[in-house]
């Protein structure tokens, strides 16, 4: 045994270093459960091993007693640390409080800190102290006092309790935790056995600190291979009884054998549930279980009546197997809150006047809110897969297409456009989009739209009114001022000379002012306003308008006309009156005017096939090149007001028709074609018609 000291001291120092190393590694997992308790245990083991090694390096009794006293601190704290770690590891962490740890450590610390250093005064720990030589190793002679046995018994009780907890966990856990528990026992049992052997005087040397190195090796393997501190098992009562989801364990006959408080809360009579068939204790799951095949796992929603309200559960049935089916686990997740929120949003979406559309990156509709049926007349399901731009007016498609797929990335994300309703009409829509393609919940571009047809019509009405106000301002500031200037000047000359020619000029200026005022009133009160359109026979309207033209020498020629046209009869008469006056003004008193149907007359040069409408042509000088003859105030006649064709354009716009001015091939003069008129085919007497007796015109 000559080399005993050279062998034991390095091993004890290695054990100390190993314990310190495990402390460092464990502290890297600060957030894991059990780290503090494991660190406490390893620190106590390091103190015990290190002091024991230093004790063997000196043969002096005083120094040996000093290191023995230091080592006794670790010696007495190892059992406390072992039990505390096992309590945490096996799921009883609620027992590990500062008060509990303080109570457990009170006696060991009292012995280590108070009784051991003062032993010469009372000999409660050591009855006799001396040095005994065993080969080359000097050890303290053993002669224990009465309190030593009290302390040893207490420490063994702590260690035994920890071993029992670890053994129970190892035998009753799944494979991974069973391996962890086995590794813990494999490291702890040798240390416990070595200490028992020394206390019973079976060995001359206390090998317990040395076996703590073996404990460190084994627990190090558990730490790294079996993730000792990453996967700390938690007791069933701690987890299952406190989870919010309910669970019921059923046997192979679907009888309840276990359930947690969350599941008991679902049952009407939870105290009588154990042992009963689940369909009797929980009738709401009957239909759910009817779909169960042998060994199949199913998941569905269960609705439970709860007084005046309902509770919704996401139910999942899992088969429990060994060599055969041993039972089933029914999990119940309460989703009442989620369903309430879903129902709230669904009701809000369905009843909202706004339209919610979700498209993919290419603009194909993947979701359409039910409000589309109320606003546009479409069944929401019929729109799924339809490109959104297919519903947009061709003139507005570019504005919408430019928004994909970056809609909502800028502040200017609103766009106004026309969309076709189910009845074929066009509705104005204002849309704002949000790109949520990267959101896994949505995965699309969300477009919120609202109908603004009424607002757009109001805006258009305002624009027309503002335009008329501009015309009135021009009339008052310029057109009416010129005749007044003439009147003022002629009156001055008439007063000076008395020449009747001045009075004739004054009369002519007054007549021009009357025509201007009449046109202004027509433009303001009637031109842009259309009453209820109706089917009108155009022949009497044309004849009545011609009678008010104010010339007896002009000739009107009626070509075949539609049987009816859909129009406001008063506005239609005004349209013809102004076209006839325009022909007389520019073609002279003996002008010839032709009226016919665009689709029936061969004189419709350049008119697309199938276009329906009316035309008015004359044999006058024709239209000036590159001039907008429909602009208010434009005229080539010295006596014209420039408002006649402007009134015609307003009446056409108010009916949603179209008008163009071209050259009349047959007559050689001007030709005005009004198209997009809803007509019915028919015929009228043709040829030159005598001019009816004229009445005074309403406008010149």
């Amino acid at each position: 045994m000559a080399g005993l000291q050279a062998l034991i001291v390095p091993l004890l120092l290695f054990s100390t270093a190993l314990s310190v190393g495990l402390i460092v590694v464990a502290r890297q997992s600060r957030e894991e459960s059990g780290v503090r308790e494991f660190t406490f245990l390893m620190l106590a083991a390091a103190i015990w091993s290190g002091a024991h090694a230093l004790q063997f390096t000196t043969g002096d009794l005083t120094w040996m007693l000093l290191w023995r006293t230091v080592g006794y601190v670790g010696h007495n704290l190892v059992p406390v640390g072992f039990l505390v770690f096992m309590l945490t590891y096996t799921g009883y962490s609620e027992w590990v409080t500062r008060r509990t740890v303080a109570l457990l450590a009170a006696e060991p610390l009292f012995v280590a800190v108070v009784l051991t250093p003062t032993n010469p005064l009372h000999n409660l720990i050591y009855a006799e102290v001396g040095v005994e030589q065993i080969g080359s190793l000097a050890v303290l002679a053993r002669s224990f006092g009465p309190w030593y046995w009290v302390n040893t018994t207490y420490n063994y009780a702590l260690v035994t309790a920890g071993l029992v907890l670890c053994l129970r966990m190892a035998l009753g856990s799944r494979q991974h935790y069973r391996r962890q528990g086995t590794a813990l026992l494999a490291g702890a049992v040798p240390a416990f056995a070595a200490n028992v052997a020394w206390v019973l005087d079976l060995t001359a040397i206390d090998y317990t600190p040395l076996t703590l190195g073996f404990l460190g090796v084994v627990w190090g393997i558990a730490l790294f291979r079996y993730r000792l501190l990453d996967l700390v098992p938690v007791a069933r009562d701690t987890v299952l009884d406190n989870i919010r989801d309910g669970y019921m364990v059923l046997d192979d006959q679907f009888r309840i054998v276990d359930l947690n408080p969350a599941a008991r809360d679902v049952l009407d009579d939870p105290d009588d549930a154990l042992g009963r068939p689940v369909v009797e204790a929980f009738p709401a799951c009957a239909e759910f279980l009817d779909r169960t095949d042998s060994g199949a796992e199913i998941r569905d929603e269960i609705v439970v009546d709860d007084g005046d309200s309902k509770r919704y559960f996401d139910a999942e049935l899992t088969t429990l197997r060994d060599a055969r089916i041993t039972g089933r686990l029914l999990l119940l997740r309460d989703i009442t809150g989620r369903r309430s929120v879903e129902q709230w949003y669904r009701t809000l979406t369905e009843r909202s006047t706004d339209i919610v559309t979700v498209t993919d990156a290419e603009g194909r509709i993947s979701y359409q809110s039910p409000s589309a049926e109320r606003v546009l007349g479409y069944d929401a399901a019929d729109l799924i897969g339809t490109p959104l731009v297919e519903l947009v007016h061709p003139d507005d498609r570019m504005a919408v297409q430019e928004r994909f797929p970056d809609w909502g990335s800028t502040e200017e994300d609103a766009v106004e456009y026309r969309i076709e309703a189910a009845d074929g009409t066009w509705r104005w829509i204002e849309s704002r989009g949000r790109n949520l393609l990267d959101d896994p919940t949505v995965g699309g571009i969300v477009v919120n739209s609202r109908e603004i047809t009424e607002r757009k019509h109001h805006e258009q009405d305002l624009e027309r009114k503002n335009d008329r106000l501009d015309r009135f301002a021009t009339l008052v500031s310029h057109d009416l001022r010129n005749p007044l200037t003439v009147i003022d000047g002629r009156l001055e000359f008439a007063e000076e000379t008395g020449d009747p020619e001045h009075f004739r000029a004054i009369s002519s200026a007054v007549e021009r002012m009357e025509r201007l005022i009449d046109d202004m009133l027509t433009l303001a009160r009637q031109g842009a306003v259309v009453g209820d359109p109706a089917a009108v026979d155009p022949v009497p309207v044309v004849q009545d308008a011609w009678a008010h033209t104010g010339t007896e020498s002009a000739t009107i020629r009626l070509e075949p006309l539609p049987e009816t046209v859909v129009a406001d009869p008063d506005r239609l008469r005004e349209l013809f009156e102004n076209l006839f006056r325009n022909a007389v003004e520019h073609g002279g008193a003996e002008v010839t005017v032709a009226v016919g149907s665009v689709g029936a007359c061969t004189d419709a040069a350049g008119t697309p096939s199938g276009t329906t409408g009316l035309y008015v042509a004359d044999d006058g000088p024709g239209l000036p090149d590159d001039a907008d003859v429909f602009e208010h105030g434009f005229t080539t006649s010295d006596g014209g007001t420039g408002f006649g064709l402007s009134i015609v354009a307003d009446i056409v716009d108010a009916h949603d028709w179209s008008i163009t001015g071209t050259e009349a091939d047959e007559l050689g003069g001007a030709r005005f074609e009004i198209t997009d008129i809803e007509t019915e085919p028919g015929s009228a007497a043709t040829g030159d018609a005598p001019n009816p007796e004229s009445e005074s015109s309403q406008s010149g």
Side-chain angles (χ1 to χ4, degrees):
M1 299 181 65
L4 192 59
Q5 182 181 25
L7 178 63
I8 290 180
V9 172
L11 288 176
L12 287 172
L13 293 176
F14 173 75
S15 177
T16 303
L18 193 58
S19 298
V20 173
L22 288 173
I23 292 173
V24 174
V25 173
R27 295 300 293 176
Q28 303 302 314
S29 304
R30 292 179 179 273
E31 303 301 325
E32 304 296 340
S33 176
V35 169
R36 291 181 303 173
E37 293 79 1
F38 181 80
T39 301
F40 178 81
L41 175 60
M42 289 297 99
L43 179 60
I47 294 173
W48 191 359
S49 301
H52 211 58
L54 294 174
Q55 177 186 328
F56 290 144
T57 60
T58 178
D60 182 75
L61 178 61
T62 301
W63 283 100
M64 293 180 69
L65 286 175
L66 174 63
W67 292 121
R68 177 61 175 169
T69 301
V70 173
Y72 221 70
V73 175
H75 172 278
N76 270 9
L77 289 181
V78 164
V80 176
F82 181 75
L83 177 59
V84 169
F85 176 75
M86 285 302 172
L87 286 171
T88 302
Y89 180 72
T90 55
Y92 297 97
S93 57
E94 70 274 11
W95 291 6
V96 180
T97 64
R98 292 184 178 180
R99 181 179 180 182
T100 303
V101 174
L103 290 174
L104 291 175
E107 192 276 341
L109 286 176
F110 176 73
V111 171
V113 177
V114 177
L115 294 185
T116 301
T118 61
N119 185 73
L121 302 177
H122 46 69
N123 295 324
L124 291 176
I125 303 301
Y126 306 118
E128 295 180 4
V129 178
V131 178
E132 180 181 353
Q133 197 71 27
I134 301 177
S136 62
L137 194 65
V139 298
L140 287 172
R142 292 179 302 174
S143 178
F144 303 125
W147 198 266
Y148 177 87
W149 297 108
V150 174
N151 176 246
T152 300
T153 302
Y154 178 77
N155 287 341
Y156 281 179
L158 297 181
V159 173
T160 302
L163 290 174
V164 170
L165 289 173
C166 187
L167 179 63
R168 190 175 70 170
M169 185 277 297
L171 296 178
S173 299
R174 291 180 296 169
Q175 183 178 8
H176 188 91
Y177 296 129
R178 188 175 301 146
R179 290 175 178 175
Q180 285 188 358
T182 302
L184 294 177
L185 286 172
V189 169
F192 182 64
N195 190 260
V196 170
W198 184 73
V199 170
L200 296 179
D201 202 17
L202 300 178
T203 60
I205 301 174
D206 184 2
Y207 292 104
T208 306
L210 192 61
T211 57
L212 293 178
F214 176 75
L215 180 147
V217 172
V218 175
W219 283 24
I221 295 174
L223 180 65
F224 294 106
R225 181 171 181 178
Y226 300 126
R227 298 174 61 197
L228 178 66
L229 299 181
D230 293 340
L231 299 175
V232 176
V234 183
R236 172 260 187 210
D237 291 340
T238 302
V239 177
L240 296 181
D241 286 356
N242 289 281
I243 60 175
R244 297 175 60 184
D245 296 341
Y247 86 88
M248 299 183 194
V249 179
L250 314 177
D251 63 13
D252 56 355
Q253 300 299 316
F254 288 90
R255 292 173 299 208
I256 300 175
V257 297
D258 193 11
L259 73 167
N260 69 342
R264 292 171 59 87
D265 184 54
V266 180
L267 305 181
D268 293 333
D269 189 9
D271 295 332
D272 193 35
L274 293 179
R276 294 177 59 194
V278 65
V279 293
E280 293 182 6
F282 187 38
C285 72
E287 183 178 349
F288 172 74
L289 296 179
D290 286 343
R291 297 193 297 275
T292 305
D293 297 327
S294 178
E297 296 184 1
I298 59 174
R299 183 173 182 175
D300 205 347
E301 191 173 285
I302 293 178
V303 182
V304 180
D305 290 327
D306 188 15
D308 296 333
S309 60
K310 295 181 181 295
R311 296 179 67 184
Y312 296 87
F313 293 90
D314 183 11
E316 182 176 357
L317 188 69
T318 304
T319 301
L320 304 177
R321 297 177 180 272
D322 194 351
R324 57 183 178 81
I325 296 177
T326 58
R328 290 176 173 83
L329 178 65
L330 176 61
L331 296 175
L332 300 171
R333 179 173 293 107
D334 194 334
I335 58 172
T336 305
R338 188 182 75 189
R339 283 296 303 271
S340 298
V341 173
E342 291 175 354
Q343 184 62 39
W344 185 81
Y345 277 109
R346 184 180 298 111
T347 302
L348 186 65
T349 302
E350 291 176 353
R351 297 184 179 276
S352 173
T353 56
D354 289 358
I355 305 172
V356 180
T357 306
V358 181
T359 75
D360 58 19
E362 287 72 35
R364 290 186 296 269
I365 298 174
S366 57
Y367 169 79
Q368 183 64 68
S369 65
S371 52
E373 181 174 0
R374 183 170 55 258
V375 178
L376 300 175
Y378 292 110
D379 188 327
D382 294 340
L383 295 177
I384 303 301
T386 303
L388 178 60
V389 293
E390 287 189 2
L391 305 174
V392 178
H393 193 283
D395 295 343
D396 302 332
R397 287 179 181 174
M398 184 62 69
V400 176
Q401 287 175 321
E402 289 177 350
R403 301 305 175 108
F404 290 93
D406 299 323
W407 206 335
S409 61
T410 63
E411 293 183 0
E412 298 179 359
D413 59 346
V415 60
E416 296 178 357
Y417 56 93
R418 287 160 290 181
I419 194 167
E420 187 176 13
D423 60 5
T425 60
W426 294 101
R427 311 285 179 84
W428 277 98
I429 295 292
E430 180 186 68
S431 295
R432 294 180 180 272
R434 183 74 181 274
N435 189 335
L436 297 177
L437 289 169
D438 296 332
D439 189 326
T441 306
V442 180
I445 298 174
V446 181
V447 182
N448 293 282
S449 308
R450 64 178 56 189
E451 185 184 6
I452 58 170
T453 304
E454 184 176 350
R455 191 190 83 188
K456 291 297 290 186
H457 288 168
H458 181 63
E459 290 175 355
Q460 292 168 354
D461 289 341
L462 288 176
E463 290 177 1
R464 284 193 290 266
K465 291 178 180 178
N466 289 335
D467 184 57
R468 288 198 295 275
L469 286 174
D470 289 340
R471 299 182 190 185
F472 301 154
T474 301
L475 183 63
V476 172
S477 65
H478 181 267
D479 293 344
L480 286 178
R481 182 176 296 151
N482 290 337
L484 287 173
T485 302
V486 171
I487 292 172
D488 184 58
R490 291 289 183 169
L491 281 174
E492 185 176 346
F493 286 127
E495 290 175 354
E496 294 176 356
T497 65
D499 188 347
E501 181 65 27
H502 296 303
F503 293 104
R504 285 193 292 271
I506 291 172
S507 177
S508 176
V510 170
E511 289 177 359
R512 175 168 174 75
M513 289 181 63
E514 289 177 348
R515 290 196 301 271
L516 286 169
I517 292 171
D518 286 342
D519 283 351
M520 179 184 70
L521 293 175
T522 300
L523 189 67
R525 298 173 181 173
Q526 300 172 345
V529 180
V530 170
D532 293 332
V536 179
D537 183 354
V539 175
V541 176
V542 171
Q543 292 174 338
D544 186 44
W546 182 257
H548 288 76
T549 301
T551 179
E552 299 179 358
S553 303
T555 301
I556 185 170
R557 191 173 72 190
L558 295 180
E559 302 289 349
L561 291 171
E563 184 175 335
T564 62
V565 296
V566 178
D568 180 335
D570 292 334
R571 302 290 80 76
L572 183 62
R573 179 178 60 80
E574 292 171 10
L575 181 146
F576 283 120
E577 283 182 8
N578 283 278
L579 288 176
F580 294 158
R581 290 198 196 98
N582 181 76
V584 172
E585 274 187 8
H586 296 86
E590 297 181 356
V591 69
T592 297
V593 179
V595 181
S597 173
V598 169
C601 181
T602 58
D603 196 31
T607 302
S609 176
T611 301
T612 59
L614 304 171
Y615 76 89
V616 175
D618 61 57
D619 61 355
L623 300 176
D625 296 334
D626 301 327
D628 184 4
V629 296
F630 301 106
E631 182 180 0
H632 78 279
F634 177 85
T635 181
T636 59
S637 173
D638 293 339
T641 64
F643 284 96
L645 292 182
S646 179
I647 294 172
V648 170
D650 278 349
I651 296 173
V652 168
D653 288 342
H655 281 87
D656 289 329
W657 299 338
S658 300
I659 186 170
T660 56
T662 63
E663 182 180 351
D665 290 346
E666 181 181 347
L667 296 176
R671 173 189 175 94
F672 296 96
E673 297 176 354
I674 302 104
T675 54
D676 298 328
I677 303 176
E678 185 178 348
T679 64
E680 293 184 8
S683 62
T686 61
D688 294 344
N691 187 38
E693 183 177 353
S694 298
E695 300 178 8
S696 59
S697 175
Q698 291 182 346
S699 61

